Short mmCIF file of all heavy atoms in Angstrom, two decimals:
data_model
loop_
_atom_site.label_atom_id
_atom_site.label_comp_id
_atom_site.label_asym_id
_atom_site.label_seq_id
_atom_site.Cartn_x
_atom_site.Cartn_y
_atom_site.Cartn_z
N MET A 1 -21.89 205.94 89.81
CA MET A 1 -21.76 204.49 89.92
C MET A 1 -22.97 203.90 90.66
O MET A 1 -23.45 202.83 90.37
CB MET A 1 -20.46 204.13 90.62
CG MET A 1 -20.30 202.64 90.89
SD MET A 1 -20.38 201.65 89.37
CE MET A 1 -18.82 202.11 88.62
N TYR A 2 -23.43 204.66 91.68
CA TYR A 2 -24.58 204.16 92.44
C TYR A 2 -25.79 203.98 91.54
O TYR A 2 -26.47 202.95 91.58
CB TYR A 2 -24.90 205.11 93.59
CG TYR A 2 -26.05 204.64 94.45
CD1 TYR A 2 -25.89 203.60 95.36
CD2 TYR A 2 -27.30 205.24 94.34
CE1 TYR A 2 -26.95 203.17 96.14
CE2 TYR A 2 -28.36 204.82 95.13
CZ TYR A 2 -28.18 203.78 96.02
OH TYR A 2 -29.23 203.37 96.78
N SER A 3 -26.07 204.99 90.69
CA SER A 3 -27.22 204.88 89.80
C SER A 3 -27.03 203.74 88.80
O SER A 3 -27.99 203.06 88.44
CB SER A 3 -27.45 206.20 89.06
OG SER A 3 -26.33 206.53 88.27
N ASP A 4 -25.79 203.52 88.34
CA ASP A 4 -25.52 202.40 87.45
C ASP A 4 -25.83 201.07 88.14
O ASP A 4 -26.39 200.16 87.54
CB ASP A 4 -24.05 202.41 87.01
CG ASP A 4 -23.78 203.45 85.94
OD1 ASP A 4 -24.77 203.97 85.36
OD2 ASP A 4 -22.61 203.77 85.70
N ASN A 5 -25.45 200.95 89.41
CA ASN A 5 -25.73 199.72 90.14
C ASN A 5 -27.23 199.49 90.33
O ASN A 5 -27.70 198.36 90.24
CB ASN A 5 -25.03 199.74 91.51
CG ASN A 5 -23.57 199.37 91.42
OD1 ASN A 5 -23.12 198.76 90.45
ND2 ASN A 5 -22.80 199.75 92.42
N ILE A 6 -27.95 200.55 90.59
CA ILE A 6 -29.40 200.41 90.74
C ILE A 6 -30.03 199.96 89.43
O ILE A 6 -30.89 199.06 89.40
CB ILE A 6 -30.04 201.75 91.20
CG1 ILE A 6 -29.57 202.10 92.61
CG2 ILE A 6 -31.57 201.64 91.17
CD1 ILE A 6 -29.92 201.08 93.66
N ARG A 7 -29.60 200.57 88.33
CA ARG A 7 -30.13 200.15 87.03
C ARG A 7 -29.76 198.71 86.73
O ARG A 7 -30.57 197.93 86.23
CB ARG A 7 -29.61 201.08 85.92
CG ARG A 7 -30.24 202.46 85.94
CD ARG A 7 -29.97 203.22 84.66
NE ARG A 7 -28.54 203.40 84.41
CZ ARG A 7 -27.91 203.04 83.33
NH1 ARG A 7 -28.57 202.43 82.34
NH2 ARG A 7 -26.62 203.26 83.17
N ALA A 8 -28.53 198.34 87.06
CA ALA A 8 -28.08 196.96 86.82
C ALA A 8 -28.90 195.98 87.67
O ALA A 8 -29.25 194.89 87.20
CB ALA A 8 -26.60 196.83 87.14
N ALA A 9 -29.19 196.36 88.90
CA ALA A 9 -30.01 195.48 89.75
C ALA A 9 -31.40 195.32 89.17
O ALA A 9 -31.97 194.20 89.17
CB ALA A 9 -30.09 196.07 91.16
N LEU A 10 -31.97 196.38 88.63
CA LEU A 10 -33.29 196.29 87.99
C LEU A 10 -33.22 195.39 86.76
O LEU A 10 -34.14 194.59 86.51
CB LEU A 10 -33.79 197.69 87.61
CG LEU A 10 -34.17 198.60 88.77
CD1 LEU A 10 -34.51 200.01 88.26
CD2 LEU A 10 -35.36 198.03 89.54
N PHE A 11 -32.14 195.50 85.99
CA PHE A 11 -31.97 194.62 84.83
C PHE A 11 -31.90 193.16 85.27
O PHE A 11 -32.48 192.27 84.63
CB PHE A 11 -30.69 194.99 84.06
CG PHE A 11 -30.75 196.32 83.35
CD1 PHE A 11 -29.60 197.07 83.14
CD2 PHE A 11 -31.96 196.81 82.87
CE1 PHE A 11 -29.65 198.28 82.47
CE2 PHE A 11 -32.01 198.02 82.20
CZ PHE A 11 -30.86 198.76 82.00
N GLN A 228 -27.25 193.08 79.98
CA GLN A 228 -27.29 194.49 80.33
C GLN A 228 -26.86 194.72 81.77
O GLN A 228 -26.15 195.68 82.08
CB GLN A 228 -28.71 195.04 80.12
CG GLN A 228 -29.09 195.26 78.67
CD GLN A 228 -28.20 196.31 78.02
OE1 GLN A 228 -27.30 196.01 77.24
NE2 GLN A 228 -28.44 197.57 78.34
N ALA A 229 -27.30 193.83 82.66
CA ALA A 229 -26.92 193.96 84.07
C ALA A 229 -25.41 193.86 84.23
O ALA A 229 -24.79 194.62 84.98
CB ALA A 229 -27.62 192.88 84.90
N ARG A 231 -23.14 194.55 82.03
CA ARG A 231 -22.43 195.66 81.40
C ARG A 231 -22.62 196.97 82.14
O ARG A 231 -21.87 197.92 81.94
CB ARG A 231 -22.92 195.82 79.96
CG ARG A 231 -22.46 194.71 79.03
CD ARG A 231 -23.03 194.89 77.65
NE ARG A 231 -22.42 193.95 76.71
CZ ARG A 231 -22.81 193.79 75.46
NH1 ARG A 231 -23.81 194.52 74.99
NH2 ARG A 231 -22.22 192.92 74.68
N THR A 232 -23.64 197.04 83.00
CA THR A 232 -24.01 198.31 83.61
C THR A 232 -23.42 198.51 85.00
O THR A 232 -22.97 199.59 85.34
CB THR A 232 -25.54 198.45 83.67
OG1 THR A 232 -26.08 198.33 82.36
CG2 THR A 232 -25.96 199.79 84.26
N GLY A 233 -23.45 197.45 85.83
CA GLY A 233 -23.10 197.63 87.23
C GLY A 233 -21.95 196.77 87.71
O GLY A 233 -21.38 195.96 86.97
N ASP A 234 -21.62 196.95 88.98
CA ASP A 234 -20.60 196.18 89.66
C ASP A 234 -21.19 194.81 90.00
O ASP A 234 -22.18 194.70 90.71
CB ASP A 234 -20.19 196.92 90.93
CG ASP A 234 -19.33 196.09 91.86
OD1 ASP A 234 -18.71 195.12 91.38
OD2 ASP A 234 -19.30 196.40 93.07
N PHE A 237 -22.14 193.88 93.47
CA PHE A 237 -23.41 194.44 93.95
C PHE A 237 -24.60 193.75 93.33
O PHE A 237 -25.62 193.48 93.99
CB PHE A 237 -23.45 195.94 93.63
CG PHE A 237 -24.74 196.62 94.03
CD1 PHE A 237 -24.91 197.09 95.32
CD2 PHE A 237 -25.77 196.78 93.11
CE1 PHE A 237 -26.10 197.72 95.70
CE2 PHE A 237 -26.96 197.40 93.48
CZ PHE A 237 -27.12 197.87 94.77
N VAL A 238 -24.50 193.43 92.05
CA VAL A 238 -25.65 192.94 91.28
C VAL A 238 -25.91 191.45 91.48
O VAL A 238 -27.06 191.01 91.51
CB VAL A 238 -25.46 193.25 89.78
CG1 VAL A 238 -26.57 192.64 88.95
CG2 VAL A 238 -25.39 194.75 89.56
#
Side-chain angles (χ1 to χ4, degrees):
M1 175 58 71
Y2 181 75
S3 61
D4 283 346
N5 280 340
I6 294 299
R7 287 194 301 125
L10 291 174
F11 291 151
Q228 285 297 105
R231 289 177 171 173
T232 303
D234 168 23
F237 178 85
V238 174

